Amino acid sequence: MLKLPYTTSRAGTRHIVDAIKGKMEFSLPDHNALMSDAMANMHTTLQQQDEVILHTTLANSELNAKTRRAIQRAVEGRTSSWLTALPLAHHHFDLSATESRDALALRYNRPLLKLPTNCDGCGAASSLEHALDCKKRGVTDTDAPSHSQRDVTAILSSVEEEKKKKYSEAAALCRASFTPLVVPVDGVLGREANFFVKQRAQKLAHKWEKSNSEVLGWMRA
């Protein structure tokens, strides 16, 4: 894997090296084409390597069902942007040690440390499961026992429908529309939330004169 950047650089700069050596006339279109092909091949190779690692990880017999489901959800829901985001304070990306530790624990279904004894919402004994399911403070828990056999997309869609039934009529009376932003604790976006984020990213990209992919990555992080 360490050789990949080197071989990519060699392949992408072959034309300009030959031109410097006097073997041919330099052509910017030819150079750009080689660089583009080299980068595309590198990305394809990296993706294939990632898929092998993922398959090997999920095939591990020591992995319990909840952890396997959490890893699959992180991959399919594209919730990894924050892992490679620069910890810039002015973007609020500078997570504390506790926030980083808890985020990784939630991502890989590991126990949280230093939880309070009781829930500050209802007073019940505190646990991660209760924090997600609490009727006063809870969020959408895609790992709840009632959801264990359901696909995460179906879970989030059903929550979206519940919210639309509850709020769409009131929004219509105000001549407004209602978009449910359903996002569980691990950051997977519901279908409508994903569409909303993409729309906002497109508008911000135009305003800031940035690429859509750059702004979308920033928003996902």
Side-chain angles (χ1 to χ4, degrees), residues 12-56:
T13 59
R14 189 173 69 248
H15 176 77
I16 195 171
V17 169
D18 287 344
I20 292 173
K21 290 180 177 179
K23 294 181 179 181
M24 61 176 64
E25 289 287 331
F26 176 72
S27 167
L28 183 59
D30 290 346
H31 169 67
N32 288 340
L34 275 179
M35 285 295 295
S36 180
D37 289 344
M39 292 298 294
N41 290 334
M42 183 182 73
H43 288 311
T44 299
T45 301
L46 288 173
Q47 186 174 15
Q48 291 171 344
Q49 292 175 344
D50 288 343
E51 289 174 355
V52 170
I53 293 172
L54 176 62
H55 178 75
T56 303

Side-chain angles (χ1 to χ4, degrees), residues 107-166:
R107 178 180 174 86
Y108 296 113
N109 190 42
R110 306 299 295 175
L112 295 180
L113 303 178
K114 299 181 180 179
L115 283 175
T117 305
N118 298 97
C119 172
D120 61 356
C122 67
S126 183
S127 69
L128 173 59
E129 289 73 18
H130 176 77
L132 296 174
D133 295 334
C134 178
K135 300 302 181 183
K136 292 189 176 181
R137 295 286 180 91
V139 297
T140 303
D141 182 8
T142 50
D143 281 327
S146 59
H147 295 325
S148 61
Q149 302 301 317
R150 300 181 65 198
D151 177 74
V152 63
T153 304
I155 297 169
L156 299 182
S157 292
S158 64
V159 177
E160 286 177 337
E161 289 304 316
E162 289 177 13
K163 289 185 175 293
K164 285 196 287 188
K165 288 178 181 178
K166 187 174 182 179

Side-chain angles (χ1 to χ4, degrees), residues 30-106:
D30 290 346
H31 169 67
N32 288 340
L34 275 179
M35 285 295 295
S36 180
D37 289 344
M39 292 298 294
N41 290 334
M42 183 182 73
H43 288 311
T44 299
T45 301
L46 288 173
Q47 186 174 15
Q48 291 171 344
Q49 292 175 344
D50 288 343
E51 289 174 355
V52 170
I53 293 172
L54 176 62
H55 178 75
T56 303
T57 301
L58 295 178
N60 187 343
S61 59
E62 297 181 2
L63 205 65
N64 64 55
K66 287 188 70 174
T67 301
R68 183 177 290 107
R69 180 179 170 89
I71 293 173
Q72 287 177 315
R73 188 168 59 241
V75 173
E76 294 169 2
R78 298 181 180 180
T79 62
S80 303
S81 298
W82 67 277
L83 291 171
T84 55
L86 294 175
L88 302 176
H90 66 277
H91 285 330
H92 305 289
F93 288 168
D94 55 333
L95 299 180
S96 67
T98 299
E99 290 170 330
S100 298
R101 183 191 66 210
D102 289 349
L104 287 170
L106 291 168

Side-chain angles (χ1 to χ4, degrees), residues 176-197:
S177 61
F178 173 74
T179 299
L181 303 183
V182 179
V183 186
V185 70
D186 54 7
V188 178
L189 296 176
R191 185 182 65 84
E192 299 208 29
N194 192 43
F195 181 70
F196 176 83
V197 168

